[in-house]
Amino acid sequence: MERIENGPSQKQHRPDIQGPTNPMVIPLLTDLYQFTMAYAYWKAGKHNERAVFDLFFRKSPFGGEYTVFAGLEECIRFIANYKLTEDDIHFIRDTLPGKCEEGFLDYLRKVDCSNVEVYAVPEGSIVFPRVPLVRVEGPVAVVQLLETTLVNLVNYASLVATNAARHRCVVGKSKTLLEFGLRRAQGPDGGIGASKYCYIGGFDATSNVSAGKLFGIPLRGTHSHAFVSSFMSPDEIIDKSLRSFDGATTCEDFVNLVHTWLNKIQWSGSLSGTHGETNQSELAAFTSYALAFPNNFLALVDTYDVLRSGIPNFCAVALALSDLGYRAVGIRLDSGDLAYLSCEARKFFQAIEREFKVPGFGKMVITASNDLNEETLDHLNKQGHEVDSFGVGTYLVTCYAQAALGCVFKLVEINTQPRIKLSEDVSKVSIPCKKRCYRLYGKEGYPLVDLMTGENEPPPKVAERILCRHPFIESKRAYVVPQHVEELLKCYWSGSSDKTREALPTLKDIRDRCMKQLEQMRPDHMRRLNPTPYKVSVSAKLYDFIHFLWLNEAPVGELQ
């Protein structure tokens, strides 16, 4: 059904901000209790009270000490275009328990985000527990209607971007990372989101064609085992001609040229004893693919036998292409001992380069796939390998090592009155009031601590000593003399106010920010195992206020 918008405030939408990428992200993508609370707020006359909520997480994922913040752009797209349709309102009327007053439905018809303000850490930033990723200010009923959707848009995005960043940190900057997870992702929206946020987290390309179109992410992909095994013999190739790279000549029988090179390889003195007869149907498949894509020939070489058939067959086709001025890309390994096979393949390529005087042949790209994850990549590094590019799928996009990030959305202030959420579990006690957040850097350029202060406290200054305290543990405190101070929260949505808001960056800019911040972090905070905890602190004044409010709100027990 077509979504027909309501109300006079339609003009307050920002035409320069498109709606969410996923058409399922609509105002009804929320929990029922958001609408029941909105009705109760409205009945009590509290719905327009000004509230401040913080969106944050309590613990970094995957046993690490950092998280990559992602999903902000989709949050802003959702907020900028928030409007309930008449059909939505009829559904809410029929869904709410009991009879819903018509006045509340009229109120819903007028709801938009013109009175909402959103402050956030820039997308792609490295972030830490308890520090607000997003601060939302506005009428309490409206902000609560946004809650579930915002948490949903940030939770998975940040989790999978962090997972991607951890893979990038393991392989280093020089290797290529390819996201191959679409077929194993949790549904179409999971697949699209994974491709986008893995790119932010440091992956170079995706196999997901739709994500390539939507977001401009580079695409990579060649062929499968099915393509190789679909061929029975070289006789199946009908058009055997191939024009040279410079267009000056045409090879009328490329298949014969490939066989000529395979014979040279088999009779080569330096390569003798390496293999016997190769699989001719595999050779036919490689030849056919090279005829279709002579500029991008990359072959999957493990359908039958990597060393005895796949590698020599690939080399024969690559050498034939070289005769015509083309340069083959390389191979993909999708099974077996990847460290050993990659080293043997590299030796073979180098031997071909020496034997036949083909410059650069020894540097053919070796891509590896086959259920790779962060741990197996680490093991490959320790074993020693010659892989240039890794295709990672299932464990990446499903975030197999951790199901969710655990973002929460907590009320910290209403009508300028700070609020706190208490718990017997100290880790679940919220940090009250509207806050300003800073990152303090040390002499070596690394971040030392993230500091939260009250909104009206003076900001920390460079070269001035400041006391940073753990929010809840009295003995954990330290003086910091920052060499650089960065304020973290910036305005990304100002509603109908005239406040200046940040422009939404491009996807590449977000990715570049993530890569730069990963490099800025101290190595011991980033290591896979037993990373050094990163300090998240509050100012002395905010510390005192937290504990004053805690004691004020906690009921006093009585012993009989």
Side-chain angles (χ1 to χ4, degrees), residues 4-75:
I4 301 172
E5 304 240 343
N6 277 296
S9 57
Q10 196 171 344
K11 64 184 180 183
Q12 292 168 335
H13 292 188
R14 295 288 175 89
D16 56 322
I17 299 181
Q18 296 180 343
T21 303
N22 188 336
M24 290 189 291
V25 179
I26 60 174
L28 295 191
L29 186 69
T30 189
D31 295 307
L32 177 61
Y33 80 165
Q34 308 294 7
F35 280 103
T36 60
M37 284 191 290
Y39 185 51
Y41 283 134
W42 180 83
K43 284 280 287 181
K46 285 177 61 69
H47 56 293
N48 284 325
E49 291 184 4
R50 193 78 180 172
V52 180
F53 285 79
D54 285 346
L55 190 159
F56 62 96
F57 61 95
R58 298 186 177 110
K59 187 177 181 181
S60 288
F62 310 115
E65 273 299 314
Y66 68 93
T67 300
V68 176
F69 173 44
L72 176 62
E73 179 189 2
E74 294 298 327
C75 290

Side-chain angles (χ1 to χ4, degrees), residues 38-291:
Y39 185 51
Y41 283 134
W42 180 83
K43 284 280 287 181
K46 285 177 61 69
H47 56 293
N48 284 325
E49 291 184 4
R50 193 78 180 172
V52 180
F53 285 79
D54 285 346
L55 190 159
F56 62 96
F57 61 95
R58 298 186 177 110
K59 187 177 181 181
S60 288
F62 310 115
E65 273 299 314
Y66 68 93
T67 300
V68 176
F69 173 44
L72 176 62
E73 179 189 2
E74 294 298 327
C75 290
I76 300 303
R77 284 172 170 236
F78 172 66
I79 288 168
N81 295 275
Y82 189 94
K83 199 68 185 168
L84 288 152
T85 67
E86 196 62 35
D87 188 53
D88 294 338
I89 291 168
H90 290 165
F91 182 78
I92 294 302
R93 178 194 63 197
D94 297 339
T95 301
L96 287 177
K99 188 175 181 180
C100 178
E101 293 183 31
E102 191 64 32
F104 176 64
L105 302 180
D106 289 338
Y107 162 72
L108 290 181
R109 290 185 177 95
K110 298 175 184 176
V111 165
D112 61 16
C113 292
S114 58
N115 292 318
V116 171
E117 294 178 16
V118 177
Y119 298 81
V121 178
E123 189 165 6
S125 297
I126 303 302
V127 291
F128 302 97
R130 295 193 172 280
V131 178
L133 309 180
V134 182
R135 185 179 79 216
V136 187
E137 306 174 21
V140 63
V142 176
V143 178
Q144 293 234 236
L145 288 173
L146 301 175
E147 173 184 353
T148 301
T149 317
L150 299 184
V151 172
N152 177 273
L153 291 171
V154 170
N155 244 323
Y156 175 70
S158 299
L159 184 71
V160 75
T162 306
N163 201 14
R166 291 178 65 86
H167 284 71
R168 170 54 68 196
C169 289
V170 169
V171 302
K173 293 189 290 184
S174 64
K175 303 297 183 183
T176 300
L177 285 174
L178 310 173
E179 179 268 308
F180 285 173
L182 177 59
R183 64 183 57 199
R184 305 282 174 79
Q186 284 99 337
D189 50 329
I192 292 290
S195 297
K196 178 180 181 180
Y197 297 117
C198 286
Y199 182 68
I200 287 175
F203 272 62
D204 298 288
T206 178
S207 64
N208 184 341
V209 178
S210 183
K213 180 184 177 183
L214 283 169
F215 308 120
I217 302 170
L219 290 171
R220 294 288 186 277
T222 53
H223 61 78
S224 69
H225 294 107
F227 180 83
V228 176
S229 59
S230 72
F231 284 82
M232 302 296 289
S233 91
D235 295 336
E236 295 177 66
I237 301 173
I238 298 171
D239 185 358
K240 302 179 181 181
S241 66
L242 180 62
R243 186 176 291 273
S244 63
F245 179 77
D246 60 11
T249 61
T250 298
C251 173
E252 297 298 339
D253 193 345
F254 183 72
V255 175
N256 184 61
L257 181 60
V258 168
H259 277 92
T260 299
W261 271 112
L262 183 60
N263 288 332
K264 287 181 181 180
I265 292 171
Q266 290 172 331
W267 288 98
S268 165
S270 63
L271 299 172
S272 61
T274 306
H275 56 82
E277 288 296 318
T278 64
N279 186 293
Q280 293 301 292
S281 62
E282 179 184 60
L283 183 64
F286 289 178
T287 304
S288 177
Y289 201 82
L291 284 165

